[in-house]
């Protein structure tokens, strides 16, 4: 039996044994960099925590360290320390402001397909523990349409796609959606894609971001996307981003902070048929591993 087949057999076995998911898992992504993806992820985490939810951010953006910089939480350990150095899941969680947990992806998911059976089982078991430790797990992906980004988007039950009104951002958002919908293994009825319009100057501009994307997705991809909300560009958010701070902590009454609060409420209270993923984030990552090993 080769290693890839062994991995698939372990995943199937653990999938059958996995308890129903408890933590809600959402992936935050964007078609290009510089649109405020990590800023949205961190500010939503702040408001989720304020609303009584336990939050852990899983940083899957291996090229940048935006989340840890904004949280002021430099990780001592990452996912590779859990796998190769025997650290526990609790040991690799770095505590940020307001007790927001943060996990660094370390070597990346694509680097996990050469694990032994024991390492796979330990990783599954460890990640499954997050279901007891968090109410919401936010996966912050890289930007763009790389394979690693698409894998996370395809495997997640909920996706927040961040776009700005800039034509280049809209074009790149559509490119990501097109790559997603045209992927033969993408199950469109298993993934809910929510659009967030960031850095808008008015309600009308925010609505226009969604309308433009919805129109092309419906017409050319025969798909369905949803509008979660919009974040205005204001001076306080600009200052916070420039200072590598979190505006919802530094200036909770700023227009952008209040918008993040509304957005988070929409996320928590939005009525939809929740997509069930057995095993939560553990199953999401192993859905990815089963594909990259095949």
């Amino acid at each position: 039996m080769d290693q890839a087949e062994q991995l698939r057999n372990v995943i199937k076995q653990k999938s059958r044994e996995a308890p129903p998911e408890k933590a809600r898992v959402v992936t935050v992504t964007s078609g290009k960099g510089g649109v405020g993806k990590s800023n949205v992820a961190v500010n939503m985490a702040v408001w989720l925590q304020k609303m009584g939810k336990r939050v852990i951010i899983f940083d899957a953006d291996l090229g940048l360290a935006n989340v840890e910089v904004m949280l002021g939480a430099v990780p001592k350990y990452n996912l590779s320390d859990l796998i190769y150095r025997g650290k526990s899941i609790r040991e690799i969680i770095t505590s940020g402001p307001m007790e927001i947990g943060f996990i660094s992806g370390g070597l990346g998911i694509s680097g996990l397909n050469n694990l032994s059976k024991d390492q796979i089982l330990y990783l599954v078991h460890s990640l499954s523990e997050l279901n007891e430790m968090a109410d919401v797990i936010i996966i912050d992906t890289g930007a763009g349409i790389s394979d690693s980004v698409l894998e996370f988007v395809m495997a997640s039950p909920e996706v927040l796609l961040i776009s700005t009104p800039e034509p280049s951002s809209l074009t790149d958002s559509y490119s990501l959606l097109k790559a997603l919908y045209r992927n033969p293994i993408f199950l469109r009825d298993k993934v809910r894609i929510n659009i967030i319009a960031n850095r808008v100057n008015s309600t009308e501009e925010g609505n226009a971001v969604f309308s433009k994307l919805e129109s092309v997705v419906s017409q050319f991809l025969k798909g369905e996307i949803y509008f979660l909300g919009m974040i205005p560009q204001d001076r306080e958010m600009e200052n916070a981003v420039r200072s590598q701070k979190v505006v919802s902590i530094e200036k909770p009454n700023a227009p952008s902070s209040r918008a993040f609060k509304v957005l988070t409420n929409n996320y928590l209270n939005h009525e939809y048929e929740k997509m069930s993923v057995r095993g939560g984030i553990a199953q999401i990552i192993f859905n990815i591993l089963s594909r990259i090993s095949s």
Side-chain angles (χ1 to χ4, degrees):
M1 179 186 301
D2 64 22
Q3 199 159 27
E5 186 177 354
Q6 174 181 273
L7 173 58
R8 288 192 293 273
N9 289 339
V10 172
I11 292 168
K12 289 177 182 178
Q13 174 190 341
K14 297 308 293 183
S15 179
R16 289 193 295 268
E17 298 173 355
E21 115 184 63
K22 295 183 179 180
R24 189 168 170 180
V25 182
V26 58
T27 291
V28 183
T29 193
S30 61
K32 62 173 290 187
V35 299
K37 171 183 58 64
S38 296
N39 195 41
V40 170
V42 172
N43 277 280
M44 281 190 66
V46 168
W47 283 108
L48 284 166
Q49 202 81 4
K50 287 183 178 183
M51 294 172 187
K53 303 297 181 182
R54 298 167 302 161
V55 184
I56 292 176
I57 300 176
F58 182 89
D59 187 6
D61 186 354
L62 304 176
L64 298 171
N66 289 338
V67 171
E68 64 184 70
V69 169
M70 292 178 65
L71 291 177
V74 179
K76 185 176 181 181
Y77 303 114
N78 57 44
L79 200 62
S80 61
D81 291 299
L82 181 145
I83 298 166
Y84 298 112
R85 298 173 182 84
K87 299 298 180 182
S88 69
I89 192 69
R90 292 185 181 274
E91 286 180 299
I92 70 166
I93 297 176
T94 302
S95 182
M98 301 178 59
E99 299 183 351
I100 295 170
F102 167 71
I103 296 176
S104 171
L107 76 173
I109 298 303
S110 62
L112 302 181
N113 61 343
N114 292 316
L115 302 182
S116 68
K117 180 178 178 179
D118 288 342
Q119 289 171 326
I120 294 168
L121 290 171
Y122 183 59
L123 183 55
V124 173
H125 174 74
S126 298
L127 291 174
S128 296
E129 291 181 27
L130 294 178
N131 283 322
E132 301 293 338
M133 300 165 61
D135 300 304
V136 180
I137 298 170
I138 299 174
I139 300 175
D140 183 36
T141 74
I145 57 174
S146 67
D147 289 343
S148 61
V149 170
L150 291 176
E151 289 288 359
F152 271 109
V153 173
M154 288 190 294
S156 298
E158 296 181 88
V159 174
L160 306 184
L161 174 57
I162 315 303
S163 182
T164 71
E166 295 178 0
S168 60
S169 178
L170 290 166
T171 299
D172 289 330
S173 294
Y174 176 66
S175 295
L176 187 149
L177 291 166
K178 182 169 65 174
L180 186 64
Y181 275 95
R182 293 184 176 176
N183 192 304
I185 63 174
F186 175 57
L187 302 176
R188 62 178 68 198
D189 61 332
K190 299 296 184 182
V191 181
R192 180 186 176 93
I193 300 175
N194 301 285
I195 304 299
I196 295 177
N198 194 26
R199 299 175 184 166
V200 301
N201 294 310
S202 66
T203 300
E204 292 74 20
E205 190 173 49
N207 288 328
V209 168
F210 175 69
S211 295
K212 290 174 182 176
L213 288 173
E214 182 186 38
S215 175
V216 292
V217 169
S218 175
Q219 180 178 356
F220 298 110
L221 305 178
K222 309 303 179 186
E224 189 173 12
I225 57 176
Y226 303 87
F227 191 37
L228 194 65
M230 64 189 78
I231 306 297
Q233 179 76 337
D234 65 28
R235 183 172 299 176
E236 299 293 359
M237 184 165 72
E238 291 176 2
N239 291 339
V241 170
R242 192 177 299 115
S243 303
Q244 298 180 321
K245 302 291 185 180
V246 184
V247 68
S248 295
I249 295 177
E250 301 296 315
K251 301 289 182 179
N253 293 317
S256 54
S257 298
R258 295 197 301 269
F260 279 120
K261 181 180 180 180
V262 171
L263 189 76
T264 305
N265 264 318
N266 291 345
Y267 169 72
L268 288 178
N269 301 324
H270 190 69
E271 293 183 3
Y272 72 104
E273 184 178 353
K274 189 175 181 184
M275 306 301 181
S276 177
V277 177
R278 291 178 58 82
I281 188 170
Q283 189 61 43
I284 285 175
I285 289 180
F286 284 98
N287 286 346
I288 295 171
L289 284 177
S290 65
R291 288 198 288 269
I292 65 178
S293 65
S294 61

